Amino acid sequence: MNQQYFSSKPDSRRRPREVEVVLDGDRLSFTTDAGVFSPGRLDLGSATLLALAPPADAEARVLVDLGAGWGPLSVALARRHPTATVWAVETNDRARELCSANAQRHAPGRVRTVGPDNGPDEPIDLLWSNPPVRIGKDELYRLLDSWLDRLAPNGLAVLVMSKNLGGDSLHRHLEERGHPVERLGSKAGYRVLAVRSTNSIIGA
C-alpha cells in the first residue's frame, strides 16, 4: 500500500463523504475523505478511548489531541471541556483540513488545528491520542515520548492502542521511562492507558 493515512500529503483521489458519530449521546455529522485514517466510521480504538477516558481536572486549560485525523476526538475534548483550548495535532494535510472544518462546525473557535512541529507553548494539562502505530515502533515511541515530556506536573495523557499492535509493550516502555501508568480498561483487544507526567505532584 503506497498511500498511507500518515502521509503528510496524500495523493489518493478525493472521495468526500459524511459520517455520523455519536459523541456523549449527541449524533453529529463529520466530513471525511479518502487518504485519511478510518474515513468510513469512528474507529473502534477512538470509540474505546471516548468510553473510558476520565474527565479532565476542572482547572485544565491546555488540551491536545495527538493524531487528530478528521477530528472526532478533538471535537469531543472541546465539548467536554468548554473553557479549555484544544490543540488538534495532525501530520496529514488532508486530515488537518477536515479536522479544522469539522471542529468549526461542532465547536466553533475552540480547536486549533496544527502540524506535528507546532502546538502549545504552555505545559499540557490533558492529552488524548489514538496514535499512528503503523509508522513503526521506534518512531512511535519517539513521537509519544516527545509529547509526554510536555505534560504539566499533574498532566494526564490517555492513550489507546490495540494489544495486537503493541499496547502492552507500550505500557512497559512508559513505566521504564518513569511515567506512572494505569490501565483504565480494555475492549475488543484495545488497551486504554492513563499516563501521568514523570514529575507528577502526588496528592496535589
Side-chain angles (χ1 to χ4, degrees), residues 84-200:
T85 297
V86 177
W87 294 78
V89 181
E90 173 56 53
T91 191
N92 182 313
D93 289 352
R94 189 176 298 179
R96 200 161 57 241
E97 173 190 321
L98 293 166
C99 180
S100 180
N102 288 324
Q104 188 60 26
R105 187 192 311 189
H106 298 303
R110 301 281 323 292
V111 177
R112 301 182 184 183
T113 308
V114 297
D117 296 327
N118 296 297
D121 294 327
E122 307 93 334
I124 298 166
D125 297 309
L126 177 64
L127 181 147
W128 282 3
S129 186
N130 181 3
V133 296
R134 302 285 182 186
I135 64 176
K137 181 177 178 180
D138 291 342
E139 189 171 349
L140 175 68
Y141 283 7
R142 284 193 294 270
L143 173 69
L144 292 177
D145 291 344
S146 68
W147 283 89
L148 293 173
D149 286 345
R150 300 170 67 178
L151 287 175
N154 271 340
L156 173 69
V158 182
L159 312 178
V160 63
M161 186 179 294
S162 168
K163 175 185 177 181
N164 292 336
L165 294 177
D168 291 341
S169 60
L170 174 63
H171 190 149
R172 292 191 295 271
H173 168 77
L174 295 170
E175 289 185 327
E176 289 169 358
R177 290 196 79 240
H179 291 283
V181 183
E182 175 189 1
R183 186 191 293 177
L184 296 176
S186 300
K187 182 178 180 181
Y190 284 91
R191 309 298 203 215
V192 178
L193 306 177
V195 186
R196 296 284 177 180
S197 168
T198 55
N199 58 344
S200 294

Side-chain angles (χ1 to χ4, degrees), residues 22-99:
V22 178
L23 293 181
D24 300 325
D26 293 329
R27 189 174 296 275
L28 306 178
S29 182
F30 287 77
T31 304
T32 75
D33 205 340
V36 304
F37 176 64
S38 191
R41 62 182 177 88
L42 178 68
D43 67 286
L44 185 54
S46 294
T48 304
L49 186 154
L50 283 168
L52 296 177
D57 186 279
E59 300 301 315
R61 293 292 177 269
V62 181
L63 280 53
V64 170
D65 175 13
L66 179 60
W70 41 268
L73 294 184
S74 298
V75 169
L77 278 170
R79 286 163 58 88
R80 290 186 183 186
H81 309 289
T83 62
T85 297
V86 177
W87 294 78
V89 181
E90 173 56 53
T91 191
N92 182 313
D93 289 352
R94 189 176 298 179
R96 200 161 57 241
E97 173 190 321
L98 293 166
C99 180

